[in-house]
Amino acid sequence: MKKLFAVLTLIALLPLGAAAQTSDWQKSWDETLAAARKEGKVVVSGPPSQELRQTMPAAFKARYGIGIDYLGGRSAETAVRMRAERQAGIHSIDAILAGNDSMALIFHREKMIVPLKPALMLPEVLDGSRWKKGKLWFSDPEQQYILRLANSVTTMFHINTNEVKPGDLRSVKDLLNPRWKGRIALQDPTIAGSGSNQAAHLYFQHGEDFVKQLYVDQKPMISRDTRQITDGLARGIYPIALGAEDADVEKLRKEGIPLALLDNLSDLYREVSAGFGQVAMVSDAPHPNAARVFVNWIASKEGSEVYARAMGVVPTRNDIDESFLPPQIIPREGVQYFDTFDWEFTTTKKEKARQRMKELLQGR
């Protein structure tokens, strides 16, 4: 009888415990939201995307009544700004959307960001079943600071099919054909970002002699401007391009420009990348409560979808309809990919390759 009474008592208390847990997070959330509204805004540094600049602040304001001051630009430029401000005792940014080079080698290494995980409180964010990995995908080794919001298959090479037929290039070694000398556009491999990711991938998969021939002997156009690369590809001036923006290429293709992905190279792994799709909270943020609300929202279904649609990337949540995306950029199960956002690759291997690429290009 005592055992029965104990079991019945436990059953009776279970709903109360669940209700208490619900009440706890809801109370914390309501208090944070109220404080955030008093702060009035959140300052977010992110990619130089006009569409994101328009859609993200509008959606966030509609949801919570809090404005976003959006600072669009390259992550490296944000890092320079933050260093200078901190030396002057100024703190102007609350949250950052950035790639792995800046996140790992600057913001994390120089302790400009704080643990983000404790700030997450929305049940739909904390529910591991809502995420493709079965849990929140943190990039950093501590699994606390940098939350990955995107994971897209990125095409290293695009071609202009008026000038290059898919059958012309079956191996990366075909890029070294004298026919393509001076007709390839490559993203700068000497600075942190996509260009160094791509060069390091080629360096470690195919060796130094190959990258020297491609980046030096083939006399490519090397640029830090992805728009310049994409424009040269579209015009056929550089009919083979490494570093054109996938989303921009897709738009041009739909407009009738003869562009195509080069994804049939037999000896080159496809890459996956988060692009700018990682979020972190800045230390000593001027609007700390609004920053907490923002990171919860951007990790939610609504916020992640707004980001994914604006940037044309694959979300790491599994509850978002991905029909708006080109099927080829969605990772497939059973396919081996080269993850350019791997922490060890970013913090050790890639940096060594980048320094070597600088040395090789000095004699170009």
Side-chain angles (χ1 to χ4, degrees), residues 52 83 112 152 201-202 217 236 248 257 289 297 300 313 321 332 357:
L52 188 64
R83 279 176 177 151
M112 293 185 185
S152 304
H201 176 181
L202 292 168
D217 299 342
D248 292 342
I257 306 298
N289 292 289
W297 178 77
S300 73
V313 295
D321 181 4
R332 301 194 304 268
M357 291 301 297

Side-chain angles (χ1 to χ4, degrees), residues 129-350:
S129 68
R130 307 287 185 96
W131 299 87
K132 292 176 180 176
K133 291 194 75 170
K135 62 179 182 179
L136 293 160
W137 188 347
F138 283 94
S139 301
D140 58 283
E142 297 90 350
Q143 298 291 286
Q144 291 281 329
Y145 290 84
I146 304 165
L147 181 63
R148 186 162 173 169
L149 304 170
N151 186 51
S152 304
V153 178
T154 59
T155 302
M156 292 187 70
F157 292 96
H158 293 89
I159 57 174
N160 184 309
T161 55
N162 276 348
E163 305 291 331
V164 184
K165 305 306 176 188
D168 292 339
L169 302 169
R170 298 185 180 279
S171 160
V172 291
K173 303 295 171 55
D174 293 334
L175 296 169
L176 306 182
N177 188 317
R179 174 185 177 187
W180 310 122
K181 191 169 185 176
R183 307 201 69 204
I184 301 174
L186 304 173
Q187 200 164 1
D188 190 342
T190 67
I191 61 170
S194 298
S196 63
N197 290 346
Q198 297 153 352
H201 176 181
L202 292 168
Y203 187 97
F204 285 107
Q205 192 174 350
H206 292 283
E208 182 174 313
D209 185 59
F210 172 79
V211 295
K212 180 180 179 299
Q213 291 181 69
L214 178 62
Y215 281 82
V216 180
D217 299 342
Q218 281 292 74
K219 305 293 184 186
M221 187 273 285
I222 295 179
S223 175
R224 298 181 181 183
D225 187 345
T226 57
R227 291 183 181 180
Q228 182 183 20
I229 293 173
T230 305
D231 183 65
L233 173 71
R235 293 173 181 272
I237 301 170
Y238 301 103
I240 302 171
L242 173 62
E245 287 288 350
D246 287 337
D248 292 342
V249 170
E250 182 64 16
K251 289 177 182 177
L252 290 169
R253 189 188 65 77
K254 288 180 178 179
E255 292 171 4
I257 306 298
L259 306 181
L261 304 170
L262 183 61
D263 59 1
N264 62 340
L265 297 179
S266 60
D267 50 357
L268 187 67
Y269 294 135
R270 297 289 299 278
E271 292 185 348
V272 287
S273 164
F276 282 84
Q278 296 187 127
V279 64
M281 293 174 61
V282 178
S283 61
D284 299 310
H287 312 98
N289 292 289
R292 293 186 190 98
V293 173
F294 174 76
V295 297
N296 276 272
W297 178 77
I298 199 71
S300 73
K301 181 178 185 294
E302 180 185 72
S304 289
E305 184 166 359
V306 167
Y307 180 84
R309 285 182 177 275
M311 297 299 292
V313 295
V314 182
T316 50
R317 290 183 65 103
N318 62 17
D319 54 0
I320 295 173
D321 181 4
E322 297 176 345
S323 60
F324 66 94
L325 293 167
Q328 63 269 19
I329 75 167
I330 301 174
R332 301 194 304 268
E333 289 189 16
V335 177
Q336 184 171 5
Y337 295 101
F338 188 95
D339 187 357
T340 61
F341 274 53
D342 176 79
W343 192 265
E344 181 183 357
F345 173 71
T346 300
T347 57
T348 58
K349 294 181 179 179
K350 185 170 67 176

Side-chain angles (χ1 to χ4, degrees), residues 42-116:
V42 59
V43 181
V44 178
S45 172
S49 163
Q50 188 60 34
E51 187 168 353
L52 188 64
R53 182 190 295 275
Q54 293 173 348
T55 59
M56 187 172 71
F60 188 69
K61 183 73 175 287
R63 172 63 60 185
Y64 297 116
I66 302 169
I68 291 180
D69 280 0
Y70 187 77
L71 307 176
R74 293 179 58 247
S75 303
E77 294 167 352
T78 300
V80 171
R81 169 181 173 155
M82 286 178 61
R83 279 176 177 151
E85 287 185 344
R86 284 166 182 257
Q87 289 175 359
I90 299 170
H91 301 275
S92 66
I93 297 174
D94 298 301
I96 304 172
L97 292 163
N100 217 35
D101 280 356
S102 296
M103 283 292 199
L105 303 177
I106 302 175
F107 302 132
H108 181 272
R109 183 174 289 176
E110 298 182 16
K111 303 186 187 308
M112 293 185 185
I113 55 178
V114 295
L116 179 147

